[in-house]
């Protein structure tokens, strides 16, 4: 179809990636982001699996991200006492998937996705309040809280888990629900010796502690806990230190290298009820607005990147916008919803498992599972063939 004007609502990873895909295929793009500058979660880190890297390659951002990130080649899963449950072979995964697992600060990834945008394409500090999408009108109209409006042939709703646009175009769909887990995370102030483990997960009873090593030697850590929604601590870092005081090295060193004001704390919400559609009229839902999932497979951002590449490819291949969005929905909804379900199940058998007998049985099963089977499990979610987006 003939490219036109697109408005992307939301300047997070998914929204910026969607903008790159649209620009790459000839669309004019405006990204409207309500935050005045950096996003609230820009201080954390992220691990990108092979499918996310392949999507970035398709969008043209892969080389820059690879240059700034660190390959995650060594690591595994342990008990709080340090006993190894499973070793992850990053070399084998890279060979099987054609791309490595990469660790990168979110702020760096955001910057690399923003940099290619044309001057003026990103409008920060503007909150979108509604989209008027009259099928008889030549364009949809996007309205912001400060009275601005934007005409669009296509609107991409990448406005996150609490998406206002999702609630507008799918008013009967249930909103996000609390998963039962809360996450505290931060990046260390300086490099930390992690004993040669680029990435690691440690599972206790109703708790998980993990880390990702970055290219500059700093480390992102996260602590995921079973907890009631809304529980907050006056000193989050002190609370994490108390909870994980007896856990194995390098966990104490990571917490000691963290500034108290660097800790972010978020309850984990998800879209438990799958949406009936990812496109309504001229509006396409993308990323957390479409399929917010728990972090237990590390696939949230990767699925948003897949969405971005898939949307751009559908627009190139189809004869008109309805056909393009129907194709996008048919390709992206089944896969992303299946991954979201798998992430929920992984959490229930991993971090959320609290019964001591069940934990012991799980740990024994993991130790007896051949590494080949573990790799096959990862391949089931990270194996994905990206579309080819020829620049226009």
């Amino acid at each position: 179809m003939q490219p036109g004007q697109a408005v992307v609502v939301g300047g997070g990873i998914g929204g910026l990636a969607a903008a790159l895909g649209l620009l790459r295929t000839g669309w004019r793009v405006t990204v409207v982001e309500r935050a005045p500058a950096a996003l609230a979660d820009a201080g954390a880190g992220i691990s990108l699996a092979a499918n996310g890297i392949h999507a970035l390659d398709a969008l043209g951002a892969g080389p820059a991200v690879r240059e700034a990130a660190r390959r995650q080649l060594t690591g595994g899963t342990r008990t709080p006492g340090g006993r190894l449950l499973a070793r992850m072979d990053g070399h084998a995964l890279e060979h099987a998937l054609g791309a490595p697992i990469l660790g990168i600060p979110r702020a760096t990834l955001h910057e690399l996705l923003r940099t290619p945008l044309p001057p003026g394409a990103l409008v920060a500090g503007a909150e979108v309040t509604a989209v008027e999408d009259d099928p008889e009108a030549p364009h949809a109209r996007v309205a912001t809280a400060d009275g601005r409006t934007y005409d669009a042939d296509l609107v991409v709703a990448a406005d996150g888990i609490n998406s206002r646009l999702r609630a507008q175009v799918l008013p009967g769909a249930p909103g996000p629900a609390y998963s039962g887990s809360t996450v505290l995370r931060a990046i260390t102030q300086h490099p930390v010796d992690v004993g040669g483990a680029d990435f690691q997960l440690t599972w206790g009873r109703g708790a998980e502690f993990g880390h990702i090593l970055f290219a500059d030697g700093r480390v992102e850590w996260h602590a995921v806990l079973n907890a009631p929604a809304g529980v907050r601590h006056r000193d989050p870092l002190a609370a994490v230190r108390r909870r994980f005081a007896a856990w194995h090295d390098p966990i104490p060193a990571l917490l000691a290298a963290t500034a108290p004001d660097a800790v972010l704390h978020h309850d984990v919400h998800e879209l438990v009820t799958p949406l009936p559609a990812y496109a309504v009229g001229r509006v396409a839902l993308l990323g957390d607005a479409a399929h917010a999932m728990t972090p237990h497979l590390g696939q949230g951002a990767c699925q948003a990147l897949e969405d971005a590449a898939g949307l751009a490819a559908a627009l190139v291949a189809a004869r008109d916008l309805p056909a393009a969005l129907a194709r996008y929905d048919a390709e992206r909804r089944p896969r992303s919803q299946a991954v979201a379900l798998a992430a929920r199940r992984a959490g229930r058998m991993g971090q959320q498992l609290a019964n001591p007998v069940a934990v012991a049985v799980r740990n024994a099963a993991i130790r007896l599972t051949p590494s080949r089977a573990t790799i096959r499990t990862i391949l089931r979610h990270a194996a994905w063939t990206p579309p080819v987006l020829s620049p226009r």
Side-chain angles (χ1 to χ4, degrees):
M1 62 174 291
Q2 187 67 27
Q5 175 68 49
V7 173
V8 178
V9 181
I13 291 172
L16 293 172
L20 293 186
L22 293 168
L23 288 165
R24 193 170 179 83
T25 51
W27 285 72
R28 302 181 305 280
V29 180
T30 300
V31 180
V32 184
E33 164 58 42
R34 67 179 179 179
L39 298 181
D41 63 351
I46 190 169
S47 181
L48 294 171
N51 54 318
I53 305 304
H54 287 314
L56 287 165
D57 286 339
L59 298 167
V65 172
R66 290 170 189 260
E67 179 68 22
R70 182 186 179 98
R71 294 163 69 207
Q72 309 291 285
L73 299 176
T74 59
T77 305
R78 296 183 179 272
T79 67
R83 183 178 184 181
L84 184 66
L85 296 175
R87 179 175 285 105
M88 294 301 299
D89 186 343
H91 289 284
L93 287 171
E94 184 173 354
H95 177 75
L97 293 166
I101 301 171
L102 296 180
I104 188 170
R106 279 184 179 264
T108 302
L109 180 57
H110 287 160
E111 181 182 0
L112 294 175
L113 295 176
R114 285 195 305 267
T115 299
L117 297 180
L122 176 60
V123 180
E127 182 176 6
V128 171
T129 55
V131 172
E132 298 174 11
D133 187 16
D134 182 350
E136 301 299 321
H139 306 284
R141 177 159 291 182
V142 178
T144 65
D146 59 6
R148 282 178 280 185
T149 60
Y150 301 88
D151 288 340
D153 301 296
L154 168 68
V155 179
V156 180
D159 52 340
I161 187 170
N162 295 309
S163 170
R164 180 174 288 179
L165 299 192
R166 180 186 64 232
Q168 178 182 332
V169 300
L170 293 171
Y178 181 51
S179 68
S181 297
T182 193
V183 58
L184 297 97
R185 53 200 170 124
I187 297 176
T188 61
Q189 293 178 285
H190 51 74
V192 178
D193 181 1
V194 292
D198 296 326
F199 62 99
Q200 190 160 264
L201 288 179
T202 301
W203 280 342
R205 293 172 51 189
E208 168 187 303
F209 195 100
H211 78 247
I212 305 167
L213 183 59
F214 294 147
D216 63 3
R218 292 181 304 149
V219 185
E220 188 265 3
W221 59 261
H222 70 264
V224 190
L225 304 165
N226 292 351
V231 172
R232 292 296 181 269
H233 307 281
R234 179 171 297 179
D235 186 339
L237 182 58
V240 177
R241 285 175 171 167
R242 287 193 299 270
R243 179 65 177 81
F244 296 94
W247 287 37
H248 66 81
D249 294 333
I251 293 171
L254 295 175
L255 299 178
T258 302
D261 60 0
V263 180
L264 303 173
H265 188 179
H266 301 290
D267 289 341
V268 178
H269 291 77
E270 59 175 327
L271 289 178
V272 177
T273 303
L275 296 184
Y278 283 4
V280 179
R282 298 182 180 97
V283 180
L285 298 167
L286 183 145
D288 282 352
H291 47 67
M293 62 189 70
T294 66
H296 298 103
L297 290 178
Q299 276 289 321
C302 292
Q303 290 303 304
L305 293 169
E306 284 189 22
D307 289 347
L311 176 61
L315 291 165
V316 169
R319 65 184 181 275
D320 55 28
L321 186 66
L325 294 187
R327 176 170 177 161
Y328 167 71
D329 178 72
E331 291 180 353
R332 293 303 308 147
R333 187 155 50 92
R335 171 163 165 78
S336 59
Q337 290 178 348
V339 172
L341 178 59
R344 186 179 312 125
R345 290 172 173 170
R348 290 172 180 169
M349 294 305 297
Q351 171 263 313
Q352 293 181 329
L353 202 62
N355 181 282
V357 175
V359 168
V361 170
R362 178 202 64 198
N363 290 355
I366 293 174
R367 287 196 300 269
L368 295 173
T369 301
S371 60
R372 294 187 304 275
T374 302
I375 289 176
R376 283 197 299 270
T377 299
I378 296 173
L379 293 178
R380 188 159 57 240
H381 308 298
W384 175 72
T385 302
V388 177
L389 300 179
S390 299
R392 289 192 179 184

